[in-house]
Each structure stands twice: as C-alpha cells, then as structure tokens.
C-alpha cells in the first residue's frame, strides 16, 4: 500500500497553492459578493495547463492522471470553491466525456480549446421536472436528414452563460427507455440554443448557473457523442467522474475550514486564554481534522481506482457523500468557532459554509449517492 | 551561446517549523522549497536565456531530498541540472558549499558565462556562497543586484546599497547575487512540472569531491527562542522618559 502522491503531484499542488495565493485569494470574497465569474483567473489557469490535466498532450492537455486533476481541484477549492467546481465540471465531466466517447475528429476539434482554457465546458442534463429523476426528462431530439433537432428546457446549467462547448442530453427514442437517450455536443452560438434565466445562489456564487433553452436547435449528426441510445450511460459516466471532483471540492472547503479554525481559535482570547484551550473548541477541531483526512483518502482512492482502470462508481459516490456531508457539518462548526465574527461578511468561514451546502446537492444529492451505494451492494 | 548557471538551495520552508517542548524545534512536519532569493536567481538566468539564447544549468548541493528540489528547479525553465547530493551534505557551512560548487563548475560545467545566486539563503542568510565561489573561480562578483543589462561583452548591473544604487560593469564570466526586486519568478505550469523529470541531470556525490575543505563551522544545537513582550506603558512626559530609562537600565540594555 502506498499513500504517497508522486513528487510531481506534490509540486503541482504547491504551484496551485502559490497560484491561488497570488491570483485567487485576493479576489475570492469579492467575486462571491458580486457573483462574478473570474475570467482572468481561468485564462491564467489555461495558460498553465491546469484546464486539461488528464487530457493527453496530443489533444492539448498536460497528459497527467485524473488524480493530479483532483489534487488541483482540491487546492483551488480551498481558496475559491466556485472556481474549483468550474474546473471540476470542465475537466472531470466535459473533457472526460469527450475523451471517453468522442470520435477522433470530435476530440481533435473540441478538446484543444477546452484543455487550453480558451473555452469552458458545460454539462446540460437537469431539467425543471427532472433532477434526481433523470428519466423524467422532456427534451426531445429528433433526426431530420443529416441533422438532429433539439427541443426542450434545461435548468441549473453550470457555466451555462459562458461556456463554449455544451454536452446536451435528450430523448432520441423515448419508447426505448434507458436506451432512448442520446448526448450531443453543441457549440456556443448554435442557432436555437439560448441562455434563459440566471440563478442567484446562496453559495458558489462565482460560478454562473442558468437555464438553457433549445428551440428547434439544429446540429449536424457528426455532433452525436457516442452512439444513439448511449445518452444515459454517458451521463452516468460523466457524473461518476464529476463526483470525485465534487468530493475534492469538499475536501478543499474542509481544509480551508480547518485552517481558519486553527488560526482563529489560537488568537481569540476569552476568559483570559485562547479559546482553543477549551476542550469544547479543541474537539471540534479534532473532529474536523479527522473527517478531513477520511474524506481526502476516500477521494484520492476513488481517483486512483479511475487511473488504474478499475470500477470506481461506488467509491466516487462514497467519496462525494462523505466529503460533502463532512464539509457541511464542519463549516457550520467553523462559523461557530468564530462566533459573531464568523457570521459576518469578511469572515472566510461564512462563505465556506454557504459554499459547502451545494456539495450535498449537485451531481446527485446525498440521497442519490446513498441510492447508488446501496444499490450496488444490494443488487 | 551563453551558458548560464543558476545555483539554488533546497531549504526547509520556514512556515512549517514549529516550536516543540521547551527550547526544542519541531521539524517533524516540514516541507521544503527552493530558497526564496534563489528562485529569483534562476528566473533571471532563464529570462536572459530566453532573450539572448543559450542554455541554463541549475545546480544544487544537498542531501537525498534534493532530488525533489531538482525537479522543482528544472520545472522553472532551466535546461539541465547538476545535482550534487550526499547524506553528509545536509547541513554544510557556506565555505564548504562554495568549495563544492566551484569545483563542480570548474571540472564539469565549464565553459560558462554567468553564475547566478540568491543574495542570501532563506535558512542561513550568510550571503557567502556567491562571493566565495567567485573568489575560487577567480572571476568578479556583483552582489545585491536588482537589475542587469547586457552590453557588448560585459554586463552592467544595478547594486542596491544601503543608501544608494551603484551601477557597475563587469566582463564575462561573472558571478551575480540577486535581490528579489530583480524579477517576479514564474509559477510553473503543470506541463513544466511533468517535463522536469525528463531533462538531463548530471549527478555528483561526495566521491566526486575528494578533498573538499573541512567545515569551519560546526552546528552544536539549534534552539527556539521566545520573545516575551513586557507591555509596559510609559507616560509621554519627562517623568515617563526617566522611568523608561530606569527600566532599560534594570534590564541591562542601558548602562
Ligand atoms: C448550483 C447548481 C449547479 C448545478 N449544475 C448543474 C449542471 O451543470 N448540469 C446539470 O445537469 N445539473 C446541474 N445542477 C442540477 C443538480 O444536479 C440537481 O439540482 C440535483 O440533481 C437535484 O435535483 P433537483 O434540484 O431537481 O432536486 P430533486 O430531485 O427534486 O430532489 C429534491 C429532494 O428530494 C430528494 N429525492 C429525490 N428523489 C428521491 C428519492 N428517490 N429518494 C430519496 N430522496 C429523493 C433529493 O435528494 C432532494 O433532497 C446544478 C444545481 C445547482 C443548484
């Protein structure tokens, strides 16, 4: 058994930390407040090959492992959970799906600009009536000669307003049930696709989320990702990968909560001593550090399984479930440790607590993860 | 074609050093880094190469863990490495380090045009290695440099002195120790780090330096000190001043 990252991965983590200290920490509170997507940060991430770590170099990526990408997501999330999530969905879902299901032509066309960070990716699955219940989707995609035509309304699309490449799911044959959905690559600017309502969110406010509306959106058949009928399997594979990213995002949030809690509790004096001297506070920190370690191991293990080519769907769900719930639980404690100061804007823990909540919801709620895990055990 | 050598030290990152029990220092969970000023030295070497052409060799002397340090250094734009490692090189004094570097440069890395150093290391800050190497190689040494320009066959450098900026010129080859204001070091991209291990490294060990000098300085112990603040306040008047003087006398600071 080997619990070590490689020297390269350690250096990459350190470089990401330095990147964050220089470019992300100074603006993290402001982009949260203004709900602004930090384009300038992502341009720099693109230039430093952070936007395509597991993508082979021939498609413009860095040619490293999924675990390396996960370490980058964790470290970025520690400074800005919204940006960590943007990186996760871009690489972990969109690029991975293109790599796994794309034709050679599709990979050559779409991966390089994504890997260089010139375009952002979006994963367009959820609908107003179809969240956890993906099969309740209404979007219809009909064949018309050499084209397909998409009609439907999608919601909660991360990067919706600012992506360049959208992977869109809908029914090509509703009567075929689980084999009736298909996935398509829709580039930005395709007539018939437009951005609907923008959502104002509690947390990860520096990530843009919107509706996506498709009205007779016509795309050539070359944009079919995988085969007709593969849509549901593609969506689930995307989520399996993405969930490790959300787990990493949660680990980053937890690490930040721990850092803040240690720092604050050693400085804050009440009753003539630092509050960290109270067992009540010290034990909160002990529990936080313990869950952080557990969450990190689950996350890295899931990524390692993926890199080893082994099945990892259940482990990805376990990592996401545990890390997300730990992030929520302990960011509440981190606010508690800072008392009234922690409840006010300007305290990082206030943002961490709001950001943590989403990790229990997207890419499958905690309930959905429990369904996946128990389903795989009780089959 | 210029051959530029940048010397970097792999040091303990001081933010990880904790106080242990009593006067002990806890090094148990430290991480390592390239000494701060040395990063500027390497960056300057690479920038000069990028604008004038040539080759950068990054050199480090250290213990076993300097292997990782070498990867970090190579990810910052150097073309080749020279890794001089030995368990006995963990805590060298600056005179010995300089001996080893000068020997390696003379015997393995010549010809060369420029050798860059940080003005001082993050751990010892003795500011000796650069000038000592230059003396051993018999070349000029410009210390405390904050800007460099290339003229025909010589370099012109701005040295930051206590009260003034001195502009000096020196023929090549020359040793230069840099201050942090000379540049902003890059943050390596992912590919830079991944490609670092594929760059050629010349590996040397203590056997390659049969007669390096015996250390002049022996480290007996490293202890933590505690700075206790008295927080005594004095009135801003004649009485206050005389009680301040009294207090300082009591502490033996004034006599
Ligand atoms: C900020 C944000 C970003 C998002 N980004 C994307 C994106 O990029 N792409 C995308 O496609 N989607 C995205 N989503 C959608 C997200 O994945 C869904 O919100 C999520 O899957 C839950 O669906 P829902 O909101 O419709 O909740 P519902 O499915 O309606 O669930 C409501 C509640 O009921 C529970 N529940 C539902 N079914 C069951 C069951 N069978 N058993 C037990 N409990 C159940 C759920 O766990 C939850 O607690 C995003 C959402 C948000 C808020």
């Amino acid at each position: 058994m080997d619990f070590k990252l490689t020297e390269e991965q350690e250096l990459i983590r350190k470089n990401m930390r330095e990147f964050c200290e220089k470019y992300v920490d100074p603006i993290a509170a402001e982009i949260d407040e203004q709900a602004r997507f930090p384009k300038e940060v992502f341009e720099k991430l693109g230039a430093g090959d952070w936007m395509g770590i597991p993508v082979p170099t021939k498609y413009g990526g860095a040619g490293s492992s999924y675990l390396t990408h996960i370490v980058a997501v964790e470290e970025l999330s520690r400074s800005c959970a919204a940006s960590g999530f943007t990186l996760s969905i871009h690489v972990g879902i969109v690029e991975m799906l293109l790599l796994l299901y794309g034709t050679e032509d599709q990979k050559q066309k779409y991966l390089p600009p994504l890997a260089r960070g010139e375009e952002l990716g979006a994963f367009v699955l959820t609908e107003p009536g179809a969240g956890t219940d993906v099969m309740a989707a209404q979007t219809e995609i009909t064949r018309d000669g050499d084209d397909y035509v998409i009609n439907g309304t999608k919601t909660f699309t991360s990067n919706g307003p600012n992506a360049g490449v959208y992977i869109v799911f809908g029914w090509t044959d509703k009567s075929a049930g689980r084999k009736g959905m298909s996935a398509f690559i829709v580039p930005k600017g395709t007539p018939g696709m437009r951005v609907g309502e923008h959502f104002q969110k509690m947390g990860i406010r520096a990530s843009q989320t919107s509706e996506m509306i498709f009205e007779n959106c016509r795309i050539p058949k070359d944009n079919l990702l995988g085969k007709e009928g593969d849509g549901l399997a593609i969506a689930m594979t995307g989520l399996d990968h993405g969930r490790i990213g959300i787990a990493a995002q949660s680990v980053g949030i937890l690490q930040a909560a721990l850092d803040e809690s240690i720092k604050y509790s050693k400085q804050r004096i009440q009753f003539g001593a630092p509050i960290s001297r109270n067992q009540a506070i010290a034990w909160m920190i002990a529990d936080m550090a313990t869950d952080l370690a557990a969450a990190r191991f689950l996350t890295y293990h899931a990524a390692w399984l993926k890199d080893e080519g082994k099945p990892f769907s259940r482990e990805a769900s376990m990592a996401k479930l545990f890390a997300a719930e730990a992030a929520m639980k302990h960011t509440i404690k981190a606010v508690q440790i800072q008392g009234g100061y922690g409840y006010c804007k300007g305290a990082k823990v206030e943002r961490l607590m709001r950001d943590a909540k989403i990790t229990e919801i997207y890419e499958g709620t905690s309930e959905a993860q429990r369904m996946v895990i128990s389903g795989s055990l009780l089959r | 074609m210029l051959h530029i050598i940048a010397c970097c030290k792999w040091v303990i990152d001081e933010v990880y050093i904790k106080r242990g029990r009593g006067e002990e220092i806890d090094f148990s969970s430290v991480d390592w880094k390239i000494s701060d000023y040395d990063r500027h030295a390497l960056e300057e070497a690479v920038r000069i190469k990028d604008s004038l052409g040539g080759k950068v060799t990054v050199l480090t002397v250290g213990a076993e863990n300097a292997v990782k340090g070498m990867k970090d250094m190579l990810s910052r734009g150097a073309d080749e490495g020279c890794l001089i490692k030995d368990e006995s090189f963990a805590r060298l004094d600056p005179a010995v380090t300089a001996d080893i570097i000068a020997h390696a440069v003379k015997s393995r890395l010549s010809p060369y045009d420029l050798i860059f150093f940080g003005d001082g290391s993050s751990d010892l800050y003795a500011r000796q290695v650069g000038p000592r190497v230059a003396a051993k190689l018999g070349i000029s040494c410009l210390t405390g440099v904050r800007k460099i320009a290339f003229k025909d066959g010589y370099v012109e450098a701005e040295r930051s002195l206590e009260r003034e900026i001195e502009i000096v010129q020196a023929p090549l080859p020359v040793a230069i120790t840099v201050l942090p204001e000379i540049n902003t070091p890059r943050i390596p991209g992912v590919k830079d780090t991944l490609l670092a291990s594929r760059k050629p490294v010349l590996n040397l060990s203590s056997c390659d330096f049969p007669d390096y000098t015996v250390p002049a300085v022996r480290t007996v112990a490293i202890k933590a000190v505690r700075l206790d603040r008295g927080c005594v306040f004095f009135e801003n008047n004649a009485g206050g001043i005389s009680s301040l003087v009294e207090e300082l006398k009591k502490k033996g600071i004034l006599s």
Side-chain angles (χ1 to χ4, degrees), chain B:
Chain B
M1 205 181 80
L2 291 174
H3 180 204
I4 311 169
I5 300 169
C7 298
C8 293
K9 188 175 183 182
W10 190 237
V11 299
I12 288 177
D13 188 341
E14 63 276 5
V15 299
Y16 294 95
I17 300 177
K18 289 196 215 127
R19 198 192 167 90
R21 285 168 194 280
E23 290 183 320
E24 263 174 49
I25 302 181
D26 178 3
F27 291 111
S28 61
S29 53
V30 293
D31 199 358
W32 293 65
K33 65 172 182 181
I34 301 173
S35 179
D36 294 338
Y37 288 12
D38 297 356
R39 278 176 57 170
H40 298 267
L42 175 54
E43 179 69 30
E44 197 60 22
V46 173
R47 285 186 191 199
I48 291 172
K49 177 200 77 170
D50 287 347
S51 71
L52 299 178
K55 178 177 86 170
V56 172
T57 304
V58 62
L59 177 154
T60 193
V61 181
E64 207 52 52
N65 67 0
V67 173
K68 181 176 171 189
M70 183 44 70
K71 283 187 189 167
D72 195 354
M73 293 161 201
L74 287 169
S75 73
R76 293 163 195 273
D79 303 287
E80 294 179 8
C82 175
L83 173 58
I84 309 171
K85 104 181 132 57
D86 200 279
E87 258 336 292
S88 64
F89 291 170
R91 236 179 239 154
L92 290 178
D93 84 48
V96 183
T97 308
D99 259 9
I100 293 171
I101 293 177
H103 184 80
V105 169
K106 232 186 279 179
S107 64
R108 308 295 191 114
L109 303 178
S110 293
Y112 59 92
D113 302 285
L114 291 141
I115 310 182
F116 280 101
F117 301 87
D119 197 50
S121 60
S122 302
D123 52 357
L124 296 181
Y125 202 69
R127 303 166 76 190
Q128 303 237 337
V129 172
R132 280 179 183 270
V133 170
K136 292 214 178 279
L137 294 173
I139 60 176
S140 23
C141 183
L142 312 178
T143 56
V145 170
R146 51 163 234 172
K147 199 172 171 191
I148 304 172
F150 272 82
K151 307 275 152 134
D152 215 10
Y154 62 92
V155 286
E156 188 170 281
E158 285 184 17
R159 301 180 61 220
S160 229
L161 303 181
E162 220 147 88
R163 298 217 175 160
E164 68 256 345
I165 304 291
E166 187 183 65
I167 299 181
V168 292
Q169 296 176 337
L172 302 179
V174 62
I176 296 177
T177 77
V178 305
L179 293 175
E181 44 284 31
I182 195 162
N183 56 40
T184 309
R186 68 197 59 200
I187 300 173
V190 180
K191 275 188 210 161
D192 297 323
T193 307
L194 295 171
L195 291 175
S197 16
R198 297 200 207 146
K199 293 183 174 173
V201 176
L202 171 65
N203 282 291
L204 303 175
S205 72
S206 58
C207 327
D208 298 292
F209 303 91
D211 48 20
Y212 61 88
T213 30
V214 225
V217 177
R218 198 163 52 88
T219 305
V220 184
I222 302 178
K223 289 181 178 174
V225 289
R226 182 192 284 282
L227 289 176
D228 280 323
R229 289 173 203 281
C231 286
V232 184
F233 292 87
F234 301 96
E235 295 293 325
N236 184 13
N237 55 31
I241 292 169
S242 50
S243 38
L244 169 65
V245 171
E246 277 314 301
E247 199 65 27
L248 291 177
K249 276 186 184 156
K250 247 192 264 167
K251 289 195 184 294
I253 296 167
L254 290 181
S255 51

Side-chain angles (χ1 to χ4, degrees), chain A residues 230-300:
Chain A
D230 282 352
L232 189 66
I234 293 175
M236 293 308 139
T237 304
L239 289 170
D240 284 345
H241 287 81
R243 282 166 185 162
I244 310 178
I246 305 308
Q249 182 200 17
S250 311
V251 170
I253 293 172
L254 263 172
Q255 179 70 58
L258 179 66
D259 296 343
E260 291 293 309
S261 300
I262 292 174
K263 194 169 71 188
Y264 189 89
S265 65
K266 283 167 81 173
Q267 275 169 8
R268 175 67 174 169
I269 310 283
Q270 286 293 278
F271 299 97
I275 58 169
S276 61
R277 301 268 177 85
N278 300 297
Q279 197 178 62
I281 302 287
W283 286 18
M284 283 187 205
I285 289 172
D287 290 348
M288 205 180 283
T290 306
D291 280 352
L292 167 61
R296 185 175 278 137
F297 282 138
L298 283 172
T299 305
Y300 291 2

